[in-house]
């Protein structure tokens, strides 16, 4: 894949289909993202995200958490695999594991996550179902720096989507995912261009403090 010489070295962690990984690969190939994806690591074997990486000759590793006696030993092995690529940035792209505080601290300020809700609403699982059950009018997705609090770190960017009459988890998650593939590359681009800084528990973009929600894109009005 063509990349810039001074591209930001990125390792992507996945557990599934890897559509967010694909958005980053596409951005790299198009020369729109100043990154080089050095490796893709999955904790699940046989997931489509691994195939997506292999198609582009990106090194892949499967580290099955079930092969490790406990969370700490898995996270140790994971950190060794990641660090062998000396990444500047670690991107969690649908990586469905709770990480130990030691692991998270090791990557403070250089690990991003995408979470399918308007954080701080709906941390954890089944976010689309919960938004529908609560009859919310809007839902969305957030990209944030990872801290020890699950789905709780400083938010960089959010996209808001409408919840429409008759929506199901399927229709709503598709609407959210379309936004994921826009905002994750944006956040990675900002990081790679060193435009982001964390100040206490907020994020600045080009030295301008962002609101607690991060930069917001409202797809209801665009
Ligand atoms: C994405 O929808 C992402 O928001 C979600 O997993 C999906 C992965 O899709 N992440 C979480 O729920 C993290 N708590 P993908 O494998 O197609 O990128």
């Amino acid at each position: 894949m063509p990349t810039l010489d001074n591209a930001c070295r990125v390792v992507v962690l996945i557990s599934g289909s890897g559509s967010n990984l694909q958005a980053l690969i596409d951005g790299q190939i198009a020369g729109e993202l100043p990154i080089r994806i050095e490796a893709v690591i999955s904790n699940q074997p046989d997931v489509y995200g691994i195939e997506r990486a292999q198609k582009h000759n990106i090194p892949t590793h499967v580290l099955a958490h079930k092969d490790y006696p406990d969370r700490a030993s898995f996270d140790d092995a994971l950190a060794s695999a990641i660090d062998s690529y000396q990444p500047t940035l670690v991107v969690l792209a649908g990586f469905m594991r709770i990480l130990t505080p030691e692991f998270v601290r090791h990557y403070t300020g250089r690990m991003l996550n995408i979470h399918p809700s308007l954080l701080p609403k709906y941390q954890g699982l089944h976010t689309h179902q919960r938004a529908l059950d609560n009859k919310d009018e809007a839902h969305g997705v957030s990209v944030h720096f990872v801290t020890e609090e699950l789905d709780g770190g400083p938010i960089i960017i959010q996209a808001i989507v409408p919840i429409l009459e008759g929506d199901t988890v399927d229709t709503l998650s598709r609407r959210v995912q379309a936004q994921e593939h826009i905002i994750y590359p944006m956040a990675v681009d900002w990081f790679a261009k060193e435009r982001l800084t964390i100040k206490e528990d907020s994020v600045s973009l080009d030295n301008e403090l962002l609101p607690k929600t991060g930069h917001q894109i409202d797809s209801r009005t665009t």
Side-chain angles (χ1 to χ4, degrees):
M1 279 197 281
T3 45
L4 305 169
D5 283 346
N6 58 349
C8 175
R9 299 171 66 89
V10 176
V11 169
V12 183
L13 307 190
I14 61 166
S15 302
S17 106
S19 67
N20 281 285
L21 164 67
Q22 188 68 55
L24 298 176
I25 292 174
D26 292 346
Q28 178 182 330
I29 290 175
E32 288 163 2
L33 283 179
I35 63 169
R36 187 169 53 234
I37 302 174
E38 301 288 344
V40 171
I41 304 175
S42 174
N43 67 318
Q44 298 285 359
D46 305 323
V47 292
Y48 186 49
I50 291 286
E51 261 180 62
R52 292 183 195 267
Q54 285 169 345
K55 273 187 198 152
H56 295 279
N57 299 317
I58 300 169
T60 58
H61 298 265
V62 174
L63 247 71
H65 57 271
K66 293 197 180 96
D67 294 346
Y68 294 83
D70 52 35
R71 204 172 279 284
S73 56
F74 173 74
D75 280 8
D76 276 353
L78 182 59
S80 298
I82 296 169
D83 290 349
S84 70
Y85 291 96
Q86 299 182 299
T88 307
L89 176 66
V90 177
V91 170
L92 308 184
F95 187 63
M96 303 304 278
R97 287 282 300 168
I98 293 176
L99 299 162
T100 55
E102 293 71 24
F103 181 92
V104 171
R105 277 199 292 273
H106 182 60
Y107 298 104
T108 298
R110 55 191 182 110
M111 182 157 63
L112 306 184
N113 183 42
I114 189 156
H115 182 76
S117 78
L118 296 173
L119 290 170
K121 253 187 163 180
Y122 308 135
Q123 293 163 323
L125 298 174
H126 311 301
T127 58
H128 308 306
Q129 187 64 59
R130 287 154 72 197
L132 289 170
D133 290 347
N134 283 342
K135 304 203 180 330
D136 290 352
E137 286 177 1
H139 186 45
V141 54
S142 309
V143 175
H144 63 94
F145 281 102
V146 177
T147 61
E148 289 174 41
E149 187 194 346
L150 180 68
D151 301 325
I155 299 169
I156 300 164
I157 185 166
Q158 288 188 328
I160 304 170
V161 303
I163 296 184
L164 304 176
E165 189 85 30
D167 258 342
T168 60
V169 166
D170 194 42
T171 56
L172 182 55
S173 64
R174 267 188 271 143
R175 194 173 307 124
V176 169
Q177 274 228 323
Q179 295 298 315
E180 295 189 3
H181 304 154
I182 297 169
I183 69 167
Y184 218 177
M186 278 176 80
V188 167
D189 182 56
W190 291 342
F191 184 95
K193 291 178 176 158
E194 300 181 355
R195 295 176 63 189
L196 297 175
T197 39
I198 307 181
K199 290 191 182 150
E200 297 180 1
D201 58 351
S202 296
V203 179
S204 292
L205 173 64
D206 298 333
N207 296 315
E208 291 276 341
L209 197 65
L210 292 172
K212 287 281 181 205
T213 57
H215 177 82
Q216 276 195 324
I217 292 177
D218 192 338
S219 75
R220 297 168 303 179
T221 57
T222 51

